[in-house]
Amino acid sequence: MATSGNKNMNAKLVLLGDVGAGKSSLVLRFVKGQFIEFQESTIGAAFFSQTVAVNDATVKFEIWDTAGQERYHSLAPMYYRGAAAAIIVYDITNQASFDRAKKWVQELQAQGNPNMVMALAGNKADLIDARKVAAEVIPLGTKLKYSSSNQDMSKIVVQDRKPEAQTYAEENGLFFMETSAKTALNVNDVFSEIAKRLPRLQPAQNPSGMVLMDRPAQTPATASCCS
Amino acid sequence: MYGIQSRKDLAFEYHPQIQILRPSIHARRANITVKFQDLYGFTVEGNVDDVNVLNEVREKVREQGRVWWALEASKGANWYLQTQATSTLKTSLKLSALVNGITLKKLIRKGIPPVLRPKVWFSLSGAAKKKSTVPESYYQDLTMAVEDRVTPATKQIDHDLPRTFPGHPWLDTPEGHAALRRVLVAYSFRDSDVGYCQGLNYVAALLLLVMKTEEDAFWMLSVLLENVLVSDCYTNNLSGCHVEQRVFKDLLTKKCPRLAAHLDSLEFDVSLVCTEWFLCLFSKSVPSETTLRVWDVLFYEGAKVLFHVALAIFKMNEEELLIAHHIGDVISIIQRSTHHLFDPDELLTVAFDKVGFMTTTTISKQRKKQEPAVMAELDQRSRRLNSVNPDEKR
């Protein structure tokens, strides 16, 4: 990518999804390691940044957490323009939010950066566990220890909507994870997975590209004289 | 027993003497961030300088109070209403009214004392006049009629109630939620084009804190959306807001050309930060007393005030922004600055003295100029999205 050869790069990332899906909660968990039951509703969008280490490099995410209400969607292009990555969030207890997520995917496919790394996040994974499946499999109130590759969790999830979301994600070139901002399940994993998938080299014909660089003005020069 | 409290004062009372948690000497030395309550009961975080600034602001508020009371004593209560009467009756322009008008404009820019705010806002904004055109029981009737109705708007409102200034000692209580709900729900039925738009929750919440009664807060919200702000700011695709953003970009280029060019070179779209300012009228970005000082002027001079204030925020940080090379840095400079704007005079002096003169007429012309482009852009976007959908049925 623009910063090829460098160990650090900046990447613009946008979160999109239905109102109340938990976009801001995911960001708060990722950036500050916190969870607040009632997050202030986001107006327009809120900006955060957080750095992730991948192998021997770091990716500094510049995160735009957007407002979910339908009428705010007319503002979305401003936030996904030039984004290197997107997380499309839905609430696993809300079918309408999954339908909305698909629309976001379509919009990004049509209008977004062609090389954008897209993740589909089925958030509130803790709720389905408590409400539907866990009542039989895991007694209510049991403290679950989540890790990125928790086998039990993926089994639980498979019984509900994971197949649909998983299949959809595969068909559309996204990667899929169920997350819980509340329990921290898979939250860091979504971001590090994105970081791993970011293209390391920026297409020469697209200097303003998907990834924000340290010194935008110098990029074309670097690209031409070093090749 | 309908829970309507429009006639009765709300439980949250303005306490001009709210105690600040005094930072210890230790905290002072280390310049540690302290938490304290501001003039309207919001818990804010700041450093020792911020606490000192806020104490000065309290003192200035008291001084302003004395100025207003002295004027009432010499010119009579409600003297400021006479300035309005003449502006509609151009033929009988009395000199005293003109003098009062000039005095009032200056005075309002220096701030309306919090105790007088409900009364002065209500008359000067046009809310009183709006209310007088309908039967006395309008608000009660409306809230009672729509109490049990469920619409997309009411669902969204219910979702947002606990997410509106969470932690505020009155707003974030069952009573506060219920009052805010009634105001927002009532408005959603008054204007179904607006219904409910996220952002209005913050605006209405602050109006409740200032006006003290639900009914007055409701009328302030009505006059704000129907007369003060540009139309369609909050309707289906926020077209009015898009227009304001474009006008703002032009103004920034005119008033701060170097900065505008610099931000352009970073591919920083100022709407990234300004959209929230214009939709929440700064209530989510700057400390409460500063927001309300902006609203003092907004209700008297109109929506152009928002441009003045937004330009001022950029102007105040111009030097620092010019040496920023990342979008992230630009945003954090602006956020840090707005978060610490505890001194309203600092902001408003820049907004009106340094930003310079702008007339409502020029701004209206700018809006007219931008409208077709905004409509075309929104239309193009919706057509593009609709053309994407057929692919869905595979």
Side-chain angles (χ1 to χ4, degrees):
Chain A
M1 136 144 346
T3 43
S4 56
N6 289 355
K7 301 236 166 176
N8 309 315
M9 63 186 200
N10 289 12
K12 180 177 175 182
L13 182 149
V14 63
L15 278 98
L16 298 163
D18 207 359
V19 68
K23 299 175 291 299
S24 303
S25 294
L26 280 178
V27 176
L28 186 70
R29 172 60 78 185
F30 174 59
V31 174
K32 293 190 180 160
Q34 296 172 351
F35 177 78
I36 299 172
E37 193 77 37
F38 297 113
Q39 271 269 35
E40 280 205 359
S41 37
T42 310
I43 309 302
F47 177 82
F48 300 88
S49 70
Q50 176 72 301
T51 305
V52 168
V54 188
N55 306 326
D56 58 344
T58 63
V59 176
K60 186 180 179 190
F61 281 117
E62 301 187 324
I63 303 166
W64 285 102
D65 169 27
T66 63
Q69 198 184 8
E70 187 84 28
R71 62 189 79 183
Y72 278 89
H73 295 173
S74 64
L75 297 168
M78 171 166 80
Y79 302 108
Y80 66 64
R81 191 176 299 138
I87 304 179
I88 295 115
V89 187
Y90 68 95
D91 168 359
I92 61 155
T93 68
N94 179 348
Q95 177 64 38
S97 77
F98 184 61
D99 299 338
R100 184 62 236 177
K102 290 182 187 170
K103 287 198 175 151
W104 277 123
V105 174
Q106 285 172 349
E107 179 167 347
L108 291 179
Q109 283 168 341
Q111 306 299 328
N113 194 307
N115 298 319
M116 190 187 279
V117 177
M118 284 195 264
L120 181 66
N123 194 36
K124 307 196 187 179
D126 57 296
L127 285 187
I128 186 122
D129 183 41
R131 272 192 200 167
K132 293 184 180 170
V133 195
E136 299 150 349
V137 183
I138 304 160
L140 271 175
T142 306
K143 268 240 162 150
L144 291 171
K145 276 190 189 155
Y146 294 117
S147 71
S148 56
S149 55
N150 190 308
Q151 289 307 304
D152 291 346
M153 266 310 289
S154 51
K155 256 186 237 157
I156 290 164
V157 161
V158 162
Q159 295 175 36
D160 193 44
R161 18 180 330 97
K162 187 164 177 179
E164 190 187 350
Q166 181 77 64
T167 313
Y168 176 80
E170 278 163 15
E171 282 175 3
N172 287 277
L174 288 80
F175 77 87
F176 168 68
M177 279 188 189
E178 292 217 329
T179 56
S180 166
K182 194 169 186 173
T183 65
L185 170 79
N186 281 343
V187 176
N188 290 343
D189 307 66
V190 171
F191 288 90
S192 11
E193 186 59 33
I194 289 174
K196 282 181 209 156
R197 289 173 185 235
L198 287 172
R200 294 280 141 176
L201 285 166
Q202 188 181 25
Q205 70 272 27
N206 186 14
S208 68
M210 334 94 46
V211 170
L212 300 169
M213 301 150 288
D214 280 351
R215 284 172 210 81
Q218 291 177 11
T219 318
T222 315
S224 56
C225 70
C226 296
S227 54
Chain B
M1 232 0 250
Y2 290 97
I4 291 167
Q5 302 180 324
S6 50
R7 289 271 149 227
K8 191 168 70 158
D9 269 7
L10 298 169
F12 181 81
E13 285 296 323
Y14 167 70
H15 299 294
Q17 304 282 5
I18 287 172
Q19 281 269 309
I20 290 181
L21 313 170
R22 283 213 175 275
S24 68
I25 290 170
H26 185 71
R28 234 177 254 249
R29 272 201 208 111
N31 201 17
I32 286 170
T33 302
V34 287
K35 278 191 178 184
F36 48 93
Q37 265 194 338
D38 74 4
L39 280 74
Y40 279 86
F42 292 93
T43 302
V44 282
E45 274 182 25
N47 54 34
V48 178
D49 287 345
D50 294 331
V51 177
N52 291 335
V53 168
L54 210 61
N55 278 331
E56 281 165 28
V57 169
R58 280 165 216 272
E59 189 41 50
K60 277 197 238 172
V61 165
R62 273 190 285 272
E63 267 169 43
Q64 265 301 91
R66 284 191 284 272
V67 173
W68 279 78
W69 292 122
L71 275 167
E72 291 222 343
S74 68
K75 293 177 185 267
N78 302 328
W79 63 275
Y80 42 85
L81 293 180
Q82 293 155 22
T83 62
Q84 282 231 317
T86 46
S87 66
T88 48
L89 303 167
K90 282 174 194 151
T91 44
S92 63
L93 197 74
K94 284 186 204 148
L95 190 63
S96 68
L98 191 68
V99 171
N100 280 350
I102 296 164
T103 314
L104 185 60
K105 188 172 166 180
K106 278 191 192 160
L107 206 56
I108 285 177
R109 286 186 178 187
K110 283 188 177 172
I112 301 170
V115 273
L116 287 177
R117 244 176 210 143
K119 196 174 103 179
V120 178
W121 279 11
F122 205 65
S123 26
L124 292 185
S125 65
K129 199 178 160 202
K130 195 175 264 295
K131 186 187 167 189
S132 71
T133 60
V134 296
E136 189 71 15
S137 60
Y138 177 95
Y139 180 72
Q140 267 89 349
D141 295 346
L142 180 59
T143 29
M144 274 163 72
V146 302
E147 208 181 12
D148 300 317
R149 301 273 293 276
V150 178
T151 64
T154 65
K155 283 186 203 160
Q156 184 65 52
I157 290 166
D158 286 331
H159 185 254
D160 282 345
L161 292 173
R163 309 203 301 161
T164 308
F165 298 124
H168 185 275
W170 180 74
L171 287 170
D172 197 6
T173 61
E175 198 189 343
H177 290 174
L180 181 59
R181 184 182 197 280
R182 282 188 293 268
V183 172
L184 290 171
V185 169
Y187 195 80
S188 77
F189 283 94
R190 176 179 167 91
D191 186 344
S192 54
D193 284 342
V194 171
Y196 169 68
C197 178
Q198 287 190 308
L200 293 179
N201 50 331
Y202 298 104
V203 174
L206 262 193
L207 285 173
L208 269 171
L209 285 185
V210 173
M211 302 305 292
K212 304 284 194 331
T213 73
E214 266 177 60
E215 185 168 2
D216 287 357
F218 170 83
W219 286 111
M220 285 306 295
L221 186 66
S222 306
V223 84
L224 186 65
L225 268 59
E226 294 158 19
N227 306 85
V228 177
L229 299 177
V230 59
S231 55
D232 288 322
C233 260
Y234 299 95
T235 49
N236 69 55
N237 51 18
L238 312 177
S239 61
C241 180
H242 285 273
V243 171
E244 295 296 78
Q245 292 303 314
R246 280 167 173 264
V247 172
F248 179 69
K249 280 174 210 167
D250 277 358
L251 288 171
L252 188 72
T253 309
K254 224 172 273 166
K255 302 272 181 184
C256 310
R258 263 180 80 206
L259 182 58
H262 176 67
L263 296 176
D264 232 25
S265 72
L266 298 180
E267 299 192 336
F268 178 81
D269 184 339
V270 291
S271 301
L272 292 169
V273 293
C274 297
T275 308
E276 186 198 83
W277 298 348
F278 280 77
L279 286 169
C280 299
L281 314 175
F282 298 100
S283 63
K284 236 169 120 19
S285 320
V286 303
S288 64
E289 177 61 15
T290 306
T291 302
L292 298 175
R293 283 285 301 278
V294 172
W295 292 14
D296 285 346
V297 195
L298 172 71
F299 288 130
Y300 189 58
E301 297 187 34
K304 68 163 187 172
V305 167
L306 302 176
F307 294 114
H308 277 276
V309 174
L311 284 167
I313 294 173
F314 280 98
K315 217 169 183 61
M316 288 165 86
N317 295 290
E318 190 166 10
E319 293 307 310
E320 214 184 329
L321 289 171
L322 282 171
I323 51 170
H325 288 289
H326 285 296
I327 286 180
D329 296 338
V330 170
I331 292 161
S332 61
I333 290 166
I334 290 171
Q335 283 181 342
R336 202 177 336 120
S337 160
T338 49
H339 183 84
H340 289 281
L341 269 174
F342 289 101
D343 184 1
D345 290 318
E346 192 192 342
L347 176 66
L348 294 183
T349 307
V350 179
F352 296 109
D353 298 349
K354 297 216 176 128
V355 164
F357 192 63
M358 292 189 279
T359 64
T360 304
T361 327
T362 356
I363 298 215
S364 304
K365 271 188 204 153
Q366 297 268 347
R367 286 183 185 130
K368 278 264 176 311
K369 201 181 106 191
Q370 298 293 354
E371 268 167 22
V374 167
M375 290 311 168
E377 191 185 281
L378 291 172
D379 188 50
Q380 201 187 1
R381 178 182 141 84
S382 69
R383 262 187 284 131
R384 254 194 334 237
L385 292 182
N386 288 335
S387 68
V388 167
N389 282 338
D391 292 356
E392 204 181 352
K393 315 166 195 146
R394 270 184 280 146

